[in-house]
Amino acid sequence: MTFSQRPASRRTVLTAFAAAATAGAPVLGQLAAAAPAAAAADPGEYPSNTALYSDPKRVEGTAYGRRYRIHQKIDPDLDTKSAFPRTAILALHGGGIEIGTSELALGIAGYDPADVTEISKPILSTTYDYFLFEGLLPIGNKDLHVTSRNCDDHVALSLAASHLNVLSLHGCKYEQLGMPEPAIWPPTSDPRLAVVGGLNEDFRAALVYEIGRAGFPVVDAFDSRYATRLQDFNGSHVTNPCNLTMLRKGAQIEMTTELRQSLFGDSGSRSKRASTWDESNGQFEAFRDACRRAIATVEAAQPIL
C-alpha cells in the first residue's frame, strides 16, 4: 500500500536543478532535498529500507530477500542506434507482505515465477528489468513493510532513475479503498479491483484500458468520481520510486487481495503461488499480458533518441 502527498512545485524542482548544476552537486540528491520530507512511518513500521536492513533481528535470506535483474545491452556500432531497456518492474512489498506482487512482477518482466535463476531464460520474447523485495517470514511479514515513498533501497532507486518508465505493483484490501457500494464494476459487487496510479497519465490510461479490456475491474485513482477516496492509493508522491524515473513520472497498480488471489491456482504460500500461476484458468496470463500491452503502448510513443 502506498500513500500520497502534494508533490513539490515545478518551481521548487527547477530551482533545485539549477542550484545543483551551479554547485556541481549531484542532481538527484538535490532533487531529493527539494522534495517533501519522507512520510512518517506507521507505528511499528520501519521508516526506511536502511533501517530495516540495519536491524540485527532481520537477517537477509531468512526474514527477507531481494532479487533483481538488469539486462545487458550493448551498442558497438557508430552508425546505428540500439534499443535500451525503457521500463522496469518493481515489487517493493513482495513475498508474504503483499502476496502475489513479486510473482506478477516476474511474469510481467517475461519470466516464469517458478524458475528464475541466474541462468534462467525468459518465457516471453520481450523482457524488462525488475526488482523484488520479498518477505520470507512464516508469519508477520507485514512488519517488513516500508512505505513506498520512504523506499531508499539503492537498487530499486537506481533502476527507477535509469528507466523512462516504472510499473510498481502493490496490494491492498478492498475495504481500505472506501469505494462506493454497489461496486463500480456492474452488474454485481466484485472485490477484485485494480487501482491504477502514478504521475504518468498516458501510462495510467493504457493500463486502465488494457486491464479493463482483459476483463478485470479497474479504475484510475485520479478519476474525479473516486479521487478523494483513493488519494492514499494514487502513487502521486514524488519520492515514490514509480515516479523517480528519467521522466519523473511512472505508474503503479494497487490490487485487492481477492484480485491477487484469483491469479493463482493456490495463493496460500510463496512456493504455491510460484508453482500455480499457470493454473488460474488463464487469469494470471490475462492480467500479465494486459500490463505488457500497456507497456508496449507507452514505449511506442517514446522513440529512442
Side-chain angles (χ1 to χ4, degrees), residues 45-126:
E45 182 177 275
Y46 289 96
S48 65
N49 291 79
T50 296
L52 171 57
Y53 301 158
S54 301
D55 186 345
K57 300 188 299 294
R58 304 299 190 187
V59 178
E60 186 162 11
T62 302
Y64 66 89
R66 291 176 282 178
R67 291 187 284 173
Y68 66 88
R69 184 181 296 249
I70 301 174
H71 298 84
Q72 183 180 23
K73 298 290 184 181
I74 184 171
D75 184 354
D77 300 322
L78 294 175
D79 56 351
T80 61
K81 58 182 179 181
S82 300
F84 65 92
R86 284 173 282 178
T87 303
I89 315 299
L90 305 183
L92 302 177
H93 308 134
I97 304 173
E98 294 170 356
I99 66 166
T101 57
S102 49
E103 293 82 10
L104 183 58
L106 289 170
I108 295 172
Y111 291 88
D112 179 347
D115 181 25
V116 182
T117 65
E118 182 180 357
I119 59 174
S120 63
K121 295 182 178 180
I123 59 174
L124 299 174
S125 58
T126 300

Side-chain angles (χ1 to χ4, degrees), residues 172-204:
C172 62
K173 295 181 179 179
Y174 185 84
E175 54 268 26
Q176 290 177 301
L177 301 175
M179 295 299 289
E181 294 295 341
I184 51 81
W185 195 260
T188 60
S189 179
D190 190 343
R192 297 178 310 133
L193 183 62
V195 177
V196 179
L199 295 178
N200 190 324
E201 292 185 44
D202 293 335
F203 204 169
R204 290 202 318 268

Side-chain angles (χ1 to χ4, degrees), residues 7-19 31 34:
S9 70
R10 177 178 175 86
R11 176 175 296 178
T12 300
V13 174
L14 290 177
T15 300
F17 204 105
L31 285 173

Side-chain angles (χ1 to χ4, degrees), residues 159-181:
L159 270 185
S162 61
H163 289 73
L164 294 173
N165 315 299
V166 159
L167 176 58
S168 189
L169 304 176
H170 298 273
C172 62
K173 295 181 179 179
Y174 185 84
E175 54 268 26
Q176 290 177 301
L177 301 175
M179 295 299 289
E181 294 295 341

